[in-house]
Amino acid sequence: MSLDVSLYRSYQVSYDEGKTIKNKEECVYDANITHNLTTMADKAGIYKALWRPEEISAVKAEGLIDVLEKGLKDLKNKPEYFKEFNSSNGWGMYEHFVPFVENYLNACKEYPKADIGISR
């Protein structure tokens, strides 16, 4: 089982000089991570931002930036503490989670108006 996070942006296209306008949607970011990292995410204060953004009223990527920045800072400042929450089976490790959060944060900053998509 994994958490899939995606960011989608909508844009308009016209193939007939503006007479007909269609809305298109494209995925600008997509990643997944194991559910075995929920405890680590919770301890870093980013569980809801990642797994349940609707519970913090985050619909657009910009709604995650502050929370993810704080959580990532905590993760990087206290690696030994967070490594205590590594999964015993090796599926869900600190060294995989930090880059996941960092990449997602960067995508949120690059596409702040993108819609958040979550599959859990």
Side-chain angles (χ1 to χ4, degrees):
M1 300 290 293
S2 67
L3 167 71
D4 298 302
V5 297
S6 303
L7 296 176
Y8 298 94
R9 72 176 181 133
S10 296
Y11 61 97
Q12 295 181 334
V13 294
S14 175
Y15 300 105
D16 57 4
E17 299 175 2
K19 295 176 189 165
T20 306
I21 296 176
K22 293 183 177 186
N23 287 324
K24 289 252 182 178
E25 184 176 80
E26 73 174 323
C27 181
V28 293
Y29 182 78
D30 187 47
N32 67 35
I33 197 82
T34 178
H35 285 300
N36 291 342
L37 287 162
T38 58
T39 301
M40 192 180 302
D42 188 49
K43 298 293 184 182
I46 56 177
Y47 171 78
K48 286 187 179 183
L50 296 174
W51 269 265
R52 302 196 175 277
E54 70 280 2
E55 291 184 14
I56 59 170
S57 301
V59 178
K60 302 284 186 184
E62 64 191 356
L64 300 177
I65 293 172
D66 290 343
V67 176
L68 293 179
E69 281 181 333
K70 184 183 179 312
L72 182 61
K73 182 179 177 183
D74 288 346
L75 284 163
K76 288 183 171 184
N77 285 340
K78 299 186 281 186
E80 294 310 313
Y81 169 73
F82 287 106
K83 286 179 183 179
E84 293 176 24
F85 306 106
N86 279 343
S87 176
S88 60
N89 66 7
W91 289 90
M93 307 297 284
Y94 172 86
E95 59 265 19
H96 303 128
F97 190 51
V98 170
F100 171 84
V101 174
E102 195 164 41
N103 291 337
Y104 191 31
L105 173 59
N106 289 336
C108 289
K109 287 179 177 180
E110 186 173 350
Y111 302 101
K113 299 298 183 192
D115 294 315
I116 300 167
I118 301 293
S119 177
R120 36 182 191 264

